[in-house]
Every structure is written in C-alpha cells, then in structure tokens.
Amino acid sequence: MLRTDSCGELDLNDVGRSVTLAGWVANRRDLGGLTFVDLRDRSGLVQLLFNPDVPDAHEKSQQLNREDVIKAEGVVSRREKENVNPNLPTGDVELEVQKLEVLNSSDHPPFSPKKGREEVNEVTRLKYRYVDLRGEKMRDNLQLRHRTFQSIRNFLTGKDFWEIETPILTKSTPEGARDFLVPSRLNKGKFYALPQSPQLFKQLFMIGGLERYFQIARCFRDEDLRAERQPEFTQLDLEMSFVQEEDVIGLVEEMLARVMEETVGAEIETPLPRLSYRRALDLYGSDSPDLRFDLQLVDISELVEDSDFGIFSSTVADGGVVKGLDVEGEEFARSELDELEEKARELGAAGLLWAEVNEEGELEGSFVRHLTEATRSRIVDAFSAQAGDLLLLLADDRETANEVLGQLRLELGRKLDLIDEEEWSFAWIVEFPLFGADGSGGVTSEHHPFTCPAEEDLEILEEEPLSVKAKAYDVVLNGLELGGGSIRIHRRDLQERIFRVLGITPEEARSKFGFFLRALNYGAPPHGGIALGLDRLVMLLAGEESIRDVIAFPKTGMAQSPLTDAPMEVEEEQLRELGLRLRDGKK
Ligand code: AMO
C-alpha cells in the first residue's frame, strides 16, 4: 500500500505516530513561512503542515496545485489550541510532513469539489463528474446508496430470496413508456428492446419454481425526464409465489422499516397507513399524496348544486364538482391570490375563487352574495372553517379539480411551511382501478396488463371495465411514488380475457406475449410482487431534490451524457452492418 492511514480518520490518539497519507490537494495556504495543505481522500480531510525546517518537502509544497495527487510522510501532531478547527473531524491534529512525493499533477480543475450545488452549473458538474464525485456531497450520497442496497440485500437474503439477473437485450415489456431499441446485426431488420422492467422474467421465475426472487435491476424507459425520472434507473424488483396482497405488503413494510433504521436511523411504525386510491384523490388530489401535512380537499358540490351561482350549479349539473381548500388563518395579499389563480389556470382550471371567513364566522367574497345564508353557513361548516380562514374554491370536472387542488395543496404546503421536513411519511395506496379510459372509447391498464383483477369484479370485467378493482398497491413516501406492484394473473384464460378487454387482438397477443402465454399453460403458481424505485428512495434518504444527485453518471433532461457525449452519431459502416439507413439522410 502507498499509505498507512486514511486522512479522515486521524485524531488525538494518533499524535506522535509516523504515518503516510495519500490523496488530493484540496487547497494550499502560505502563512508566515509555513505552508498548509488540506489533503483529501475518500474518508475526509486532514491538514498537512510544511515547515521550512524540512527544506525538500517545503520547497516541493510550493509547487502544489489543487487536485494534484500526492503522498506525504510525517508525524501526527496536536494542533496549537488556537489552531484547532472544531468543524473538521480531524481538526485537533495535523501532519508535520517530512517527505512529499507528487504522484500525479492535475490540470486546473473546472470547479472545486467543495463548491455547493448552486455555485456550479449542472452540465459542468456532469461533464467533470469525476471531480464532482470527490466532493463530500456526492461521496456521501453514493455511500448512502451503497448502504441502502446492502441493507436491502441482507434483509431479503435473510428472508430466503435469491438475487437473479434477467436479460437486458430482450423484448418489449409494457410499462407504459417508449422502448429503447437495439438493432441486431446477426438478425438484420430486427431489434431487441431494453427492458422497461423485468416484469415478465420475474413471473417466469415463479413459473420456474424459484418462489422468491429479487434483483437490483436496471430499467430503461424512453420518456420525458423530470427531477425524479431518468431514462435508465434502478429498481428493487421482487416477486413471490403462493402469496396474497397482504404478504407482499407485509414483507415490504418490514424491509422499509429495516432499511430506514439502518441507513438514516429513523424508526418507522408499521403497519404503514393505507388509503384507497379513491380517497387519496378525493382528499389530497393525488394518488401519491404527501401526508406530512393535513390540508385536505373538501367537496361542497352537494351544498351548491342548487345555488344561484351559475358556475357552481352548472358545473355540478354537468357532472363536475365544486371543491376547495381551507387555508387556516392566512391573510394573502391580492397579488398572492392572483398568483395562485394564475397557477390554477396554468394547471388547466378555468379559474380560482376565494372567500374569507370574517370575525362573525360568515363567508365573504365576490361570489358569496349569490349564495343563500344557509348555504354560506353550511360551506363554513363543511370546511370546519374559523374566523380568519381563507377558502380557495374550484368548480370543474372531478379530474381537473383534484389535479389542480392537489398541486395547489403542495404549493401551499411549501409556501406556508406546513411540511415537517424531519418526518418520513410512508403510505400504501390500495384498491386501484384495473383500467383507465384511453381517451378514445377503449381502456388501458392502470398498472400493467398482468395485474390480477379483484375476484368480486370478474363478472363485470367486460361490461364495466372501468369499475373493476385491481389487486394492486403503491407505496408512497413524502408525496413521491416509491414503488408499485400487484398480485398477478396466473391463469391463461383470465390473461387472455384481459388482453381482449384491452383491445389486444389474439394475433397481437401471440406476437408480443406468446412466450409468456405459453408459459402460463405449464403450471403457473399464484404469485405477486412489487418494484421500488431505488434512485427515488436514496434521493429522499439523502434529502436531495433530484435523482441525478444520487446516480453516479446520470443523463441531463435531454437524455444526454455531458461526460461521454452519448448519444452519438455512428459510422456509416456500423449502420451498413446493421442493415440500417437514416431516413433523412443525415449522418
Ligand atoms: P412501475 O412502473 O410502477 O412498476 O415502477 C416501479 C417504480 O420504479 C420507479 N420508476 C422510476 N424511477 C426513476 N426514473 C424513471 N423513469 C422511473 N420509472 C419508474 C418508481 C416506480 O414506483 N414491473 C412493475 C412493478 C411490479 O408490478 O412488480 C413496475 O415496473 O419509483
């Protein structure tokens, strides 16, 4: 080894020891003839002291630049009292260097790894990611990622799960995004698809009798990117045989509680709260509600359906709703209300109405005069509103009202500081519908087409598909969908019925999923599972706002890698080998 110790681990117990350290020059200061260098390795920083009494080392230290890689031998000494740095774990000591060797010099770095996120633009950080990784933030995040993965692996191994990989060059798996395609040289004109998830393979594992499988699996989805979405991301994927919803939910709860304890020392109470999909939308306007604060949506449609206020009565008559939020004791300036209304419009609402509850507990506001005395007081009651409260109201179709108020709720939660940042708020969302309307008269899977319908709804599968419930569950943390799963269909006849309802023709089903339908004929056991987005989990554990900050080499919002410049054009020759020609003739 080139070194005897790690920089970040030296303390008063080491005083007097001769040690050799190696690492990067974080910075250099010259003070009264002495030279101080902060030396950094993965474990942390320690101060090196170069004294002119050791002329060779001192002279060399004058040439050091930031991010040079050096090896320093010397004796650990206690710092003078006035030089102790209480902000540094090694701040009580320093290394009096006897011998210095430059292992490699560095070009002037594009930024200091110490610099905060705000100070360096992200593309630069990603282009020089190896410099960025030297900073505390990325180092801590990646270590946390490692610890999270280890904790999961240990837990599942203890529960008799086997970690098994599935193919990356494969066939389309329907998870609702576009596929990334890979052309085949040996089979010209044919393409592999990268897996959107290992869904069908893990089901084949169950058919193959493996009973308990997990994988920390890379998934690929060509979709528009956001802070919590990457084109390639990592799932904890798992599947179990001979189980029902409760078994999967129970196992995952136990695992999450263990992981939270082992990574951030948080104690999570189980069983986790559960909310039906319907209730989540009705009360929070979202199927991944942030339950760290209350502020629930209140439906007053029934109270105002007969009112003289046309916007209310006609909306309800057309099947829409009148819903709102009670912002307790807040006085908003007119400009703030205008901003909220603007936001509501951006989100697709026709407008936003507001009313205040005055000192007498009466409703006041521009539209209030259209309402009878009785209606006004029933509205105040419905919101349990107090004097000084502000009511924000929307009249729209149910979906828009929920969506917009759900977003305003989050906005207000942040604006009014209602969110307890220390809290970990997990919840299960259950009783999902199996299908959603596809907008052109048909239906699509809410989860994926292998999800089992609730038994009691089997008879209305064809007649009333939109009323069919699924044996599906999502787990949500602090308002972010962390994972989703379901009990699967294990009988071919039911799987084919679902395909029919989805409007998938038998030919299409055979060509896309023939291999899987065939497998269902050969003794498929009842089974179910789940997948958790691990980037998202680590992001929340790390207190970050983007999964890019917990992924070593992420892509930008345009799905590009500033580091490697991928994706790239390819040589004409490569295209020819693959039997491909670019349509617009551009290279
Ligand atoms: P689903 O599609 O819900 O389920 O994905 C599971 C979880 O994966 C995470 N996730 C993502 N994370 C980062 N970037 C993305 N682009 C991205 N897309 C999804 C989310 C999500 O909750 N096969 C099913 C699971 C099953 O049924 O067992 C599936 O993949 O956290």
Side-chain angles (χ1 to χ4, degrees):
M1 290 285 265
L2 293 179
R3 58 182 177 181
T4 60
D5 288 74
S6 296
C7 298
E9 286 163 7
L10 295 180
D11 60 23
L12 289 173
N13 295 317
D14 298 298
V15 169
R17 280 182 59 222
S18 292
V19 303
T20 306
L21 301 176
W24 290 262
V25 172
N27 69 56
R28 197 192 84 212
R29 306 176 301 282
D30 297 298
L31 267 177
L34 302 173
T35 297
F36 298 91
V37 165
D38 284 335
L39 185 66
R40 173 191 345 101
D41 65 14
R42 197 181 74 177
S43 65
L45 280 185
V46 71
Q47 178 164 287
L48 307 182
L49 170 64
F50 294 90
N51 197 312
D53 296 348
V54 188
D56 186 50
H58 185 259
E59 212 163 283
K60 275 193 196 148
S61 75
Q62 303 307 294
Q63 313 301 320
L64 291 179
N65 292 308
R66 283 201 288 135
E67 302 308 318
D68 284 348
V69 187
I70 63 173
K71 178 175 139 183
E73 284 176 52
V75 179
V76 181
S77 66
R78 177 191 278 268
R79 289 200 204 180
E80 301 285 336
K81 214 188 219 118
E82 59 275 21
N83 294 338
V84 165
N85 180 352
N87 300 321
L88 195 65
T90 62
D92 289 319
V93 297
E94 59 196 359
L95 186 73
E96 291 183 12
V97 181
Q98 307 293 336
K99 197 168 158 204
L100 173 66
E101 189 182 331
V102 177
L103 301 175
N104 203 351
S105 57
S106 168
D107 282 352
H108 186 69
F111 54 89
S112 160
K114 212 173 60 192
K115 280 264 167 8
R117 287 280 173 269
E118 315 71 40
E119 295 165 81
V120 186
N121 106 7
E122 192 177 27
V123 172
T124 309
R125 283 202 287 115
L126 292 180
K127 178 165 181 184
Y128 297 93
R129 189 60 148 183
Y130 37 86
V131 173
D132 194 34
L133 293 179
R134 288 180 204 157
E136 251 172 68
K137 186 110 177 149
M138 278 311 296
R139 178 203 63 187
D140 289 351
N141 288 355
L142 292 181
Q143 188 194 31
L144 178 64
R145 188 178 174 104
H146 163 74
R147 289 176 33 231
T148 307
F149 285 23
Q150 284 313 305
S151 170
I152 287 171
R153 284 201 162 97
N154 290 339
F155 176 83
L156 290 174
T157 303
K159 294 278 182 195
D160 263 345
F161 281 77
W162 294 353
E163 183 170 5
I164 315 170
E165 294 141 282
T166 49
I168 295 290
L169 291 179
T170 179
K171 195 170 172 173
S172 187
T173 41
E175 298 283 359
R178 275 193 198 84
D179 287 326
F180 281 104
L181 297 175
V182 181
S184 166
R185 177 182 60 86
L186 295 176
N187 305 275
K188 285 207 177 48
K190 297 194 173 171
F191 294 80
Y192 302 96
L194 304 182
Q196 292 189 32
S197 83
Q199 185 61 36
L200 290 176
F201 289 106
K202 67 173 171 174
Q203 293 193 240
L204 293 176
F205 282 154
M206 297 304 105
I207 300 175
L210 297 179
E211 297 194 11
R212 288 184 162 214
Y213 139 93
F214 84 98
Q215 179 180 195
I216 293 190
R218 202 60 72 77
C219 304
F220 306 87
R221 298 184 189 180
D222 189 358
E223 51 193 348
D224 291 333
L225 304 182
R226 297 196 299 236
E228 78 291 357
R229 264 198 207 158
Q230 279 278 296
E232 61 177 302
F233 64 96
T234 305
Q235 283 185 347
L236 165 65
D237 189 44
L238 66 84
E239 197 75 6
M240 310 159 80
S241 290
F242 309 116
V243 291
Q244 295 179 320
E245 286 155 283
E246 290 304 324
D247 303 296
V248 181
I249 288 180
L251 176 103
V252 172
E253 286 188 350
E254 196 185 333
M255 179 184 74
L256 286 170
R258 171 83 74 85
V259 169
M260 294 301 292
E261 193 195 326
E262 291 184 353
T263 52
V264 292
E267 241 178 77
I268 302 301
E269 223 177 281
T270 57
L272 302 175
R274 287 187 204 181
L275 263 179
S276 73
Y277 170 82
R278 187 68 266 154
R279 248 179 101 70
L281 285 180
D282 283 348
L283 295 183
Y284 303 100
S286 162
D287 62 359
S288 54
D290 191 337
L291 302 176
R292 288 175 297 175
F293 65 106
D294 239 0
L295 195 58
Q296 294 183 352
L297 279 53
V298 175
D299 190 334
I300 56 162
S301 310
E302 276 180 22
L303 304 183
V304 296
E305 61 188 347
D306 299 324
S307 81
D308 289 341
F309 190 45
I311 296 181
F312 286 172
S313 46
S314 67
T315 301
V316 181
D318 292 345
V321 294
V322 180
K323 291 185 76 168
L325 291 165
D326 172 13
V327 190
E328 283 173 30
E330 279 303 323
E331 267 189 41
F332 282 1
R334 179 67 202 215
S335 62
E336 289 175 296
L337 289 167
D338 287 342
E339 258 172 50
L340 284 172
E341 177 168 23
E342 184 53 37
K343 171 117 193 167
R345 283 185 200 278
E346 273 169 29
L347 290 165
L352 184 70
L353 295 162
W354 54 83
E356 275 157 358
V357 183
N358 68 16
E359 283 310 312
E360 280 71 52
E362 291 161 353
L363 210 53
E364 279 180 4
S366 56
F367 64 91
V368 170
R369 64 191 155 84
H370 299 288
L371 305 174
T372 63
E373 193 90 14
T375 304
R376 291 182 211 173
S377 92
R378 271 190 276 155
I379 292 177
V380 173
D381 288 348
F383 281 97
S384 311
Q386 307 287 323
D389 285 6
L390 169 74
L391 302 186
L392 298 172
L393 295 170
L394 264 186
D396 224 309
D397 62 83
R398 184 181 296 274
E399 207 174 312
T400 308
N402 283 343
E403 164 71 20
V404 175
L405 287 171
Q407 292 289 341
L408 290 184
R409 174 180 180 269
L410 290 177
E411 174 95 3
L412 290 166
R414 282 187 291 264
K415 188 177 156 81
L416 305 176
D417 227 358
L418 303 177
I419 302 173
D420 176 359
E421 299 286 347
E422 300 291 300
E423 200 184 324
W424 299 103
S425 181
F426 284 96
W428 287 104
I429 310 299
V430 294
E431 294 173 33
F432 277 88
L434 188 66
F435 301 112
D438 71 355
S440 46
V443 298
T444 56
S445 290
E446 274 291 317
H447 198 53
H448 51 56
F450 313 103
T451 300
C452 192
E455 253 109 60
E456 65 269 23
D457 293 339
L458 283 178
E459 48 199 61
I460 55 162
L461 204 55
E462 284 80 9
E463 287 70 39
E464 276 185 71
L466 291 175
S467 309
V468 175
K469 295 248 172 13
K471 291 189 185 176
Y473 31 79
D474 270 7
V475 61
V476 172
L477 172 55
N478 294 356
L480 190 63
E481 178 199 310
L482 203 57
S486 57
I487 298 301
R488 324 299 181 186
I489 296 164
H490 67 283
R491 295 177 52 126
R492 177 162 179 160
D493 52 347
L494 181 55
Q495 187 65 71
E496 285 180 330
R497 262 177 89 190
I498 297 288
F499 284 156
R500 267 199 303 278
V501 176
L502 287 167
I504 299 176
T505 63
E507 297 71 46
E508 204 185 334
R510 250 197 309 282
S511 117
K512 283 187 171 155
F513 312 114
F515 70 103
F516 182 70
L517 288 172
R518 188 180 321 120
L520 290 177
N521 285 340
Y522 288 89
H527 61 285
I530 193 167
L532 305 184
L534 290 186
D535 311 290
R536 291 187 185 179
L537 175 61
V538 179
M539 172 186 92
L540 293 173
L541 293 178
E544 294 289 2
E545 279 173 10
S546 161
I547 60 173
R548 297 190 295 275
D549 287 332
V550 297
I551 296 175
F553 300 111
K555 309 275 188 302
T556 62
M558 278 300 289
Q560 293 164 342
S561 160
L563 176 79
T564 62
D565 286 337
M568 292 275 287
E569 281 140 0
V570 298
E571 298 293 327
E572 192 52 44
E573 178 56 25
Q574 285 174 293
L575 288 177
R576 204 175 14 248
E577 268 183 351
L578 293 167
L580 298 178
R581 202 173 52 227
L582 295 182
R583 269 173 78 106
D584 59 5
K586 259 200 301 188
K587 257 271 295 230

